[in-house]
Amino acid sequence: MHKAPRGTLDILPEEQAYWRYIKQKIIHACQLYGYERIDTPAFEDTSLFNRSVGEGTDIVEKEMYTFEDKGKNKITLTPEGTASICRAYLEHGFHNLPQPVKLYYITSIFRYERPQAGRYRQHHQFGYEAIGDDDPALDAEVIDMAWQFLKSLNLDHLSLQLNSIGCKKCRPLYLSALKDYYMSNNQNLCPDCKNRLERNTLRLLDCKNPQCQQTANAAPKSSQYLCPQCDDHFKQLQRYLTILDLSFVVNHRLVRGLDYYTKTVFEIQPETEGAQSTLGGGGRYDDLIAELGGKPTPAIGFATGIERIILNLKKQNVSVPPLPKPQVFIAHIGNEARDFSIKIAAILRRNGIAVIVAGGSRSLKAQLRQANNFGSHHVIIIGEQEVKTDTVILRSMTTAQQRTIPINELPALLQ
Ligand code: HAM
């Protein structure tokens, strides 16, 4: 027996109501904040992610699905969405449009991770990027949209975590102070952190090992090393968030797992579970477009995992509207009635009425039970007599009342 690959999920019909609910809220939020949809390929040249996500990150080092295709091209299944959007921005000359260009996407993401609840090897992200503006008011708007979107789903008990990790001018100073601090605490570090100390010092701050967390709590804070511009940006952002009435926690250990971030980074987490089950995250990446070959172009964005949202909706017992089901069920008794039922179904569907026709030749009682299970409001019953007289019996499943209707009157009546 074949099984779905480890870390992947079939999205079954019973789950689809969640997906539709979330997608409708996505479309609404994007309309409110002025984002247009973009779809990019499921794979890109590997070099795009090496350059953007960064060579020293878990994603590039351990998690990418990379292969050589039959034309000897090195290809990677998208391990995140931002790099592809920047590539598309450059490729289609979007710098000629009024800035910022605001784009959103819903896409499959592939990461070879250790699967667990809320962590998969293929998941789906809703993300959005605002490219071409460095105003901290835009940071606040991007954060506001993330927050309002999650709230619009009826999710509660969320916490907004915020930090600034500076820019290429001020970060080296901070990194060197951080490295000195960790060197002098080397004996307290887990093997993973010892390993990362040289290559990706920032990531030591979000190690999940309890002892490393203690060490990280006392580490130098990036906000103390910001240059005047980054410092002002961070202060302005906090001022705008206050105007927007958004509560936030400045978390000095929030650094994010991708290398392209500058200045603002933020995450939205369920209050009780913290960083391990982050609902969404994002930040500024003012150098990325230039690194990919464009003119210096500031940008900021956010992404959230749809499977993780669904997990939280279920945990918080949020009920979502059920998907509409066909309201009319056709039951038939005898061969001629079965042929007639096919004709009636076609007439109704051509008139925009959704219909299910009973399969096989079960007893009327069994067919009515089936209609009940489908949640049908009306059952059309067809027997020998109805075939002869071009009529049907229409039964209301709520009142159990029945009446005979000529078929030419049926569509209008059901509409
Ligand atoms: P990220 O934090 O790597 O950011 O992923 C965004 C969200 O995707 C996470 O907060 C989480 O909800 C979900 N997610 C990540 N990995 C998994 C997984 N293995 N299984 C299920 N859900 C997962 C980014 O990808 C950035 N591109 C976000 C961004 C956009 N930054 C700027 N613009």
Side-chain angles (χ1 to χ4, degrees):
M1 278 269 278
H2 289 292
K3 286 192 159 184
R6 196 163 129 73
T8 66
L9 293 177
D10 292 318
I11 307 169
L12 299 175
E14 68 222 38
E15 293 286 300
Q16 297 292 342
Y18 287 100
W19 286 79
R20 192 184 70 150
Y21 174 67
I22 294 168
K23 282 181 185 166
Q24 283 177 342
K25 301 287 184 188
I26 290 174
I27 290 169
H28 184 63
C30 290
Q31 211 173 5
L32 282 180
Y33 289 79
Y35 284 78
E36 290 182 301
R37 171 125 185 187
I38 181 168
D39 292 287
T40 54
F43 56 84
E44 300 268 1
D45 289 342
T46 302
S47 55
L48 175 69
F49 303 116
N50 289 349
R51 285 197 85 166
S52 54
V53 177
E55 304 271 4
T57 58
D58 279 354
I59 293 180
V60 168
E61 275 190 354
K62 305 185 213 158
E63 295 171 1
M64 295 207 305
Y65 281 87
T66 296
F67 57 96
E68 201 178 82
D69 69 10
K70 290 194 164 54
K72 304 246 177 276
N73 306 297
K74 217 166 169 211
I75 293 293
T76 296
L77 303 184
T78 50
E80 67 100 41
T82 310
S84 301
I85 305 304
C86 292
R87 195 261 312 133
Y89 175 95
L90 288 169
E91 187 169 340
H92 303 290
F94 283 177
H95 57 275
N96 294 318
L97 301 175
Q99 308 290 302
V101 174
K102 292 167 134 188
L103 302 167
Y104 83 94
Y105 49 93
I106 302 171
T107 192
S108 286
I109 299 289
F110 305 89
R111 295 181 186 177
Y112 188 79
E113 297 202 76
R114 201 147 44 87
Q116 50 188 283
R119 191 174 295 281
Y120 310 103
R121 290 185 175 167
Q122 178 183 5
H123 71 277
H124 297 80
Q125 281 187 8
F126 156 48
Y128 53 91
E129 317 291 339
I131 305 179
D133 189 349
D134 64 0
D135 189 336
L138 180 62
D139 303 35
E141 188 191 272
V142 163
I143 294 173
D144 185 52
M145 174 165 161
W147 185 263
Q148 301 305 335
F149 163 68
L150 292 170
K151 291 301 251 185
S152 78
L153 294 165
N154 284 332
L155 285 173
D156 255 323
H157 311 294
L158 303 177
S159 135
L160 170 59
Q161 311 272 315
L162 189 66
N163 196 13
S164 173
I165 54 170
C167 64
K168 49 180 185 227
K169 265 191 288 167
C170 53
R171 198 176 317 150
L173 210 64
Y174 173 57
L175 285 182
S176 124
L178 194 62
K179 201 179 270 179
D180 286 349
Y181 168 80
Y182 272 113
M183 295 280 217
S184 59
N185 284 282
N186 203 2
Q187 70 285 359
N188 300 329
L189 300 180
C190 71
D192 235 15
C193 281
K194 281 186 181 154
N195 219 336
R196 273 185 175 154
L197 183 51
E198 282 303 324
R199 286 175 301 123
N200 201 341
T201 322
L202 266 190
R203 289 306 304 239
L204 269 63
L205 290 170
D206 72 355
C207 178
K208 305 292 177 289
N209 176 302
Q211 193 172 359
C212 292
Q213 292 198 353
Q214 266 186 15
T215 313
N217 283 338
K221 297 174 172 156
S222 55
S223 58
Q224 294 164 337
Y225 289 80
L226 298 178
C227 62
Q229 278 115 319
C230 288
D231 188 49
D232 184 55
H233 190 98
F234 196 36
K235 287 196 174 117
Q236 290 298 329
L237 166 59
Q238 294 181 55
R239 194 176 67 79
Y240 286 122
L241 290 178
T242 309
I243 293 175
L244 288 165
D245 217 7
L246 288 184
S247 319
F248 56 88
V249 178
V250 175
N251 176 354
H252 298 284
R253 289 180 40 205
L254 181 69
V255 290
R256 311 268 306 126
L258 304 101
D259 273 359
Y260 48 60
Y261 290 112
T262 51
K263 297 185 182 151
T264 309
V265 287
F266 70 100
E267 282 187 357
I268 299 179
Q269 300 168 357
E271 253 166 13
T272 46
E273 282 152 276
Q276 306 246 31
S277 56
T278 297
L279 264 167
R284 238 181 208 288
Y285 47 94
D286 289 348
D287 301 330
L288 182 53
I289 299 265
E291 265 158 37
L292 296 177
K295 287 189 300 194
T297 309
I300 176 162
F302 170 81
T304 169
I306 297 181
E307 287 82 354
R308 249 182 232 189
I309 292 180
I310 294 175
L311 219 62
N312 280 273
L313 288 172
K314 289 181 180 170
K315 258 189 213 164
Q316 298 193 12
N317 289 322
V318 176
S319 56
V320 302
L323 294 180
K325 287 191 176 165
Q327 303 211 325
V328 181
F329 184 94
I330 306 184
H332 45 81
I333 309 136
N335 287 340
E336 280 177 40
R338 186 179 154 68
D339 288 357
F340 197 60
S341 71
I342 292 170
K343 184 171 144 188
I344 301 288
I347 292 172
L348 293 181
R349 288 178 182 139
R350 282 159 183 58
N351 279 281
I353 299 160
V355 185
I356 296 176
V357 183
S361 50
R362 276 177 278 181
S363 70
L364 181 60
K365 203 169 154 198
Q367 293 185 55
L368 289 180
R369 215 177 304 125
Q370 204 186 352
N372 214 12
N373 291 342
F374 275 118
S376 309
H377 289 186
H378 290 95
V379 177
I380 289 171
I381 302 169
I382 305 170
E384 246 173 66
Q385 182 62 25
E386 286 69 41
V387 178
K388 277 193 199 134
T389 54
D390 261 351
T391 58
V392 299
I393 296 169
L394 185 65
R395 177 187 173 97
S396 155
M397 289 302 274
T398 36
T399 63
Q401 276 183 344
Q402 299 191 170
R403 53 190 171 133
T404 299
I405 314 278
I407 57 168
N408 57 359
E409 289 174 21
L410 191 60
L413 192 70
L414 286 171
Q415 267 163 351

